[in-house]
Amino acid sequence: MSFIKKSPWIIHYDGTSCNGCDIETLACLTPLYDVERLGVVNTGNPKHADILLVTGSVNEQSAPVLWQIYNQMANPKVVVAIGICALSGGVFKECYNVKGGVDTVLPVDVYVPGCAARPEAIIDGVAKACEILQQKLDHEREKKRTRKAVKNNG
Amino acid sequence: MDNNNIVISKNDLLENANRLHDEKYRLVQICATRVGENVLLDYSFGRDYEFVNLKCEIGQNDEIMSISRVFPPAFLYENEMHDLYGIKILHMTTDYEGSFYRTAVKNPFFPLKEG
Amino acid sequence: MSRRSIVPFGPQHPVLPEPIHLDLVLEDERVVEAIPSIGFVHRGLEKLVEKREYTEYVYVAERICGICSFQHGSGYCQAVEAIMNVEIPPRAEFLRTIWAELSRMHSHLLWLGLLADAFGFESLFMQCWRLRERVLDIFEMTTGGRVIFSVCKVGGVRRDISSDDMKRIITVLDTIVADLKDFERVFFDNNTVKSRLCGVGVLSKEKILELGAVGPVARGSGIKLDMRKLGYAAYDKIPQVEPIIETAGDCYARCLVRLRELYQSVEIIKAAASTMPEGEISVKVTGNPNGEFFSRVEQPRGEASYYVRGNGTKFLERFRVRTPTFANLGALLATLPGCDLADVPMLVLTIDPCISCTER
């Protein structure tokens, strides 16, 4: 993970998960997996967060909440969908109150499969998210630099 | 484990609930099941390890009295039945008026007929 | 003159891993009323029985909740087996008991950790979750999964535990007990912890009976109610199944109940391991369920009731689960009025809420 120049701050929201992926996400932060040693911090405040972890599918009631959290996060931001329900709806796909995966509501960058997703897979997903975050940051810096150059030359 | 089913009519519901309350039963659960064009309501009560189940069949458009004044937590189950089955329940202590579960489909377990 | 204000609590809140929303009506710092609004996790999985065969539905039933997944699976299977008059082999009963108790251990350790986190004791939270990983290791060894196992099926169980593995499990359990003894005094005697727990959210015995609360919430107020005494699975063959009760009825009492139940679970697993008969682990089930049944099991959070109604086809007509958190919601709403706003996260946690169970 030497490519990471930043401590990624994560925020977790449970869509309509069965808790399985939630507790596995939480387990990543506790002694056995301990992602905090890699600089990952779990925060409850969307404005502090870089990475949004979503477990479970989305329903009518949770979709606006998810949007609200996403919109409050500062740019650039990355969304990680955790577990099969967040990917496609999983076993609950045919339920009347399930809209489908998280990507029906938000642009998803990383998909972590599994039912329940294993902590190793989640950590891998977060590492991928860090990579994407860095790319987005680089991209934005590049844009800024170009804009500045155009302004100076013009 | 025996279920001890007692079949009652909807008018006797409150009376039975009151009796069970006086006999120190607690509310275990209330459940609705669609049976053809009717709805079967199961009111389950428990005392220590005993179990009693009141069964009551009603039509979809029938109104039924709330037992939330006898058993306070009943309002949760009754709002749930109202939202999922569209059963009309009278005199609930807390009436969410259909916003307890905000489902994508109205009355998903028993969709109302067109017209 | 105090001012009234409404503070929305949730659905996304740092102390809650799950979404529940409460409108807290405050008078200055004091809560006067709490109005819950649920449905954020409502999927409608009960209706899925109409699209899944009754044997397949076990997988859906297990996914009602990832914390008590085993008991959801076995509770559903019990109900179906009762309708179909299926007698499962004794060894399967013992295996179900062992996995159910392991689930209870992992759930209680998880809860103790979350409670510690709620009162701001992060290292204690980490310690609890470190111990919990050992229970998950046992699950992984015996079932292949960490939180969702799929070992229960209609007619028995899918996997056996060999006697060598059983010995290994007991060694691990002994290490858990040893470590638990080490940090249980933090919950028992630490002044800071006690100042947050003692006398907070008191529920009297009468109030509990009125509200129909179940599980450790009821037992923390001195009510002897534990569905394991019904003797389902192999609980009728194990003498250690006596309800553990405390009488104070506050957060501290509920915490003690769960702590002591951890030791009890270890005892039950040991007893089950030593008396477990050899033999088959499942029977072949033919035909379709026709009839109805309420089955009740004791989950880590309390009594859960499963209603299954079949009509002679392979698709069930109705499946309904009343989970312990649904029964305890009334207790939660009763403890909130009169408390300080800062105690709300603690009180919400004290009933061990499982929202995905509640809303299904």
Side-chain angles (χ1 to χ4, degrees):
Chain A
M1 288 175 70
S2 56
F3 53 86
I4 298 173
K5 296 179 184 147
K6 185 178 180 334
S7 282
W9 283 41
I10 58 169
I11 182 165
H12 167 233
Y13 184 73
D14 167 2
T16 62
S17 155
C18 75
N19 261 348
C21 297
D22 295 337
I23 52 175
E24 292 295 62
T25 309
L26 215 48
C28 293
L29 296 159
T30 54
L32 188 65
Y33 298 96
D34 197 11
V35 288
E36 281 189 4
R37 73 204 144 115
L38 308 172
V40 179
V41 177
N42 187 17
T43 170
N45 187 335
K47 298 208 172 184
H48 294 177
D50 306 301
I51 300 174
L52 171 62
L53 305 181
V54 188
T55 48
S57 54
V58 182
N59 69 12
E60 292 295 322
Q61 207 172 333
S62 63
V65 181
L66 208 49
W67 250 118
Q68 210 171 357
I69 295 172
Y70 182 77
N71 284 335
Q72 284 181 34
M73 286 168 68
N75 270 320
K77 49 197 164 191
V78 180
V79 178
V80 185
I82 295 172
I84 189 72
C85 298
L87 268 51
S88 68
V91 279
F92 305 120
K93 198 178 168 61
E94 289 168 68
C95 289
Y96 60 82
N97 211 32
V98 171
K99 252 185 137 133
V102 177
D103 52 11
T104 53
V105 183
L106 296 181
V108 176
D109 300 282
V110 183
Y111 295 87
V112 178
C115 182
R118 291 183 61 89
E120 292 91 334
I122 298 171
I123 294 170
D124 195 34
V126 173
K128 288 239 157 53
C130 291
E131 214 173 317
I132 293 171
L133 188 68
Q134 193 60 47
Q135 283 168 10
K136 284 188 176 176
L137 270 170
D138 292 345
H139 183 67
E140 240 162 64
R141 275 199 200 118
E142 193 58 38
K143 262 199 331 209
K144 225 181 247 174
R145 216 172 290 143
T146 327
R147 232 179 285 146
K148 217 173 174 182
V150 171
K151 209 176 159 189
N152 287 346
N153 294 339
Chain B
M1 284 201 277
D2 195 16
N3 280 167
N4 294 325
N5 290 321
I6 304 169
V7 180
I8 56 164
S9 88
K10 72 172 178 129
N11 300 328
D12 301 338
L13 177 65
L14 266 183
E15 195 186 308
N16 275 291
N18 272 320
R19 177 178 60 81
L20 289 167
H21 183 259
D22 292 344
E23 290 172 15
K24 301 265 176 285
Y25 277 84
R26 71 189 163 89
L27 180 70
V28 172
Q29 63 103 34
I30 306 175
C31 155
T33 310
R34 183 181 174 170
V35 184
E37 286 307 301
N38 285 344
V39 182
L40 180 66
L41 304 180
D42 287 283
Y43 290 78
S44 315
F45 301 88
R47 183 173 62 187
D48 296 333
Y49 300 107
E50 284 171 50
F51 188 82
V52 172
N53 190 33
L54 302 180
K55 277 189 169 313
C56 166
E57 197 168 326
I58 60 166
Q60 194 189 13
N61 294 317
D62 288 356
E63 289 174 331
I64 190 157
M65 290 296 282
S66 163
I67 59 162
S68 56
R69 279 170 213 282
V70 189
F71 293 96
F75 82 91
L76 292 164
Y77 302 98
E78 288 171 344
N79 276 296
E80 182 183 82
M81 281 199 308
H82 173 268
D83 290 2
L84 299 183
Y85 283 85
I87 300 166
K88 291 169 205 71
I89 293 151
L90 302 174
H91 309 304
M92 275 190 272
T93 46
T94 309
D95 195 343
Y96 283 79
E97 293 169 352
S99 63
F100 193 59
Y101 287 117
R102 275 163 264 170
T103 48
V105 201
K106 209 166 181 280
N107 309 340
F109 280 80
F110 202 162
L112 284 170
K113 266 179 270 169
E114 296 288 316
Chain C
M1 184 62 197
S2 55
R3 271 190 318 148
R4 270 201 178 218
S5 46
I6 296 179
V7 173
F9 179 86
Q12 193 264 334
H13 188 277
V15 79
L16 296 170
E18 293 182 275
I20 183 171
H21 179 87
L22 294 170
D23 281 317
L24 301 170
V25 183
L26 302 184
E27 256 171 24
D28 292 340
E29 278 291 298
R30 208 154 280 269
V31 179
V32 282
E33 202 189 350
I35 306 151
S37 135
I38 67 170
F40 293 95
V41 197
H42 183 62
R43 290 153 283 183
L45 59 86
E46 288 178 350
K47 200 157 167 65
L48 216 55
V49 280
E50 295 162 15
K51 292 176 185 159
R52 298 274 184 281
E53 289 177 25
Y54 75 94
T55 44
E56 286 174 343
Y57 194 77
V58 187
Y59 305 120
V60 182
E62 280 207 314
R63 283 161 179 80
I64 293 169
C65 167
I67 302 176
C68 13
S69 66
F70 183 81
Q71 276 123 326
H72 277 305
S74 65
Y76 166 79
C77 290
Q78 264 181 41
V80 177
E81 284 154 7
I83 295 175
M84 300 177 76
N85 286 321
V86 174
E87 190 100 358
I88 70 164
R91 191 171 173 86
E93 286 183 339
F94 275 89
L95 287 168
R96 279 188 186 178
T97 309
I98 290 170
W99 276 313
E101 286 312 309
L102 285 167
S103 297
R104 192 179 318 280
M105 288 182 73
H106 110 78
S107 175
H108 280 357
L109 283 167
L110 177 140
W111 178 82
L112 286 169
L114 289 178
L115 181 77
D117 192 39
F119 58 67
F121 204 147
E122 196 160 331
S123 59
L124 190 58
F125 162 54
M126 294 292 177
Q127 291 298 333
C128 293
W129 279 57
R130 187 173 59 84
L131 270 191
R132 178 176 162 266
E133 286 293 335
R134 287 190 213 157
V135 185
L136 295 189
D137 285 345
I138 299 177
F139 277 128
E140 202 167 348
M141 178 174 90
T142 52
T143 70
R146 278 167 53 91
V147 286
I148 306 269
F149 319 124
S150 305
V151 279
C152 213
K153 67 170 180 180
V154 177
V157 289
R158 274 198 176 87
R159 279 174 187 243
D160 203 347
I161 303 178
S162 69
S163 55
D164 283 350
D165 281 350
M166 207 61 236
K167 277 190 207 115
R168 228 171 292 160
I169 290 170
I170 291 187
T171 328
V172 176
L173 290 179
D174 284 336
T175 68
I176 293 176
V177 168
D179 283 5
L180 201 58
K181 283 245 158 65
D182 205 28
F183 75 71
E184 69 163 25
R185 57 199 165 81
V186 184
F187 284 106
F188 280 132
D189 318 311
N190 187 304
N191 271 336
T192 327
V193 173
K194 276 171 108 171
S195 70
R196 290 300 304 273
L197 297 177
C198 289
V200 178
V202 180
L203 285 167
S204 66
K205 197 172 175 178
E206 292 71 35
K207 192 86 187 154
I208 291 280
L209 284 172
E210 184 193 320
L211 296 169
V214 293
V217 179
R219 292 197 286 275
S221 298
I223 295 171
K224 279 197 168 191
L225 186 72
D226 188 330
M227 288 305 133
R228 288 178 284 181
K229 288 291 275 180
L230 287 175
Y232 65 91
Y235 287 116
D236 52 341
K237 301 175 193 82
I238 294 166
Q240 280 86 343
V241 195
E242 260 316 304
I244 286 177
I245 57 163
E246 291 283 335
T247 47
D250 54 1
C251 286
Y252 186 62
R254 294 190 273 274
C255 176
L256 293 193
V257 167
R258 290 182 176 110
L259 255 174
R260 288 171 57 201
E261 280 183 3
L262 277 168
Y263 295 111
Q264 187 192 29
S265 292
V266 173
E267 291 300 311
I268 293 175
I269 296 169
K270 282 185 179 170
S274 60
T275 46
M276 186 159 68
E278 290 296 321
E280 290 294 310
I281 56 164
S282 69
V283 287
K284 203 171 154 45
V285 177
T286 47
N288 294 317
N290 192 0
E292 55 166 14
F293 193 73
F294 279 98
S295 101
R296 293 186 293 165
V297 301
E298 182 76 15
Q299 283 190 347
R301 287 164 185 73
E303 169 207 48
S305 94
Y306 300 84
Y307 173 65
V308 171
R309 184 187 174 92
N311 53 3
T313 66
K314 58 188 177 182
F315 299 102
L316 295 172
E317 212 166 80
R318 176 82 163 115
F319 166 66
R320 192 247 197 292
V321 47
R322 199 281 279 136
T323 58
T325 308
F326 206 100
N328 285 339
L329 268 184
L332 168 64
L333 299 179
T335 55
L336 286 175
C339 80
D340 288 332
L341 178 62
D343 274 333
V344 170
M346 283 266 311
L347 290 171
V348 172
L349 268 180
T350 188
I351 65 155
D352 199 355
C354 180
I355 310 302
S356 60
C357 272
T358 312
E359 302 179 6
R360 309 169 303 279

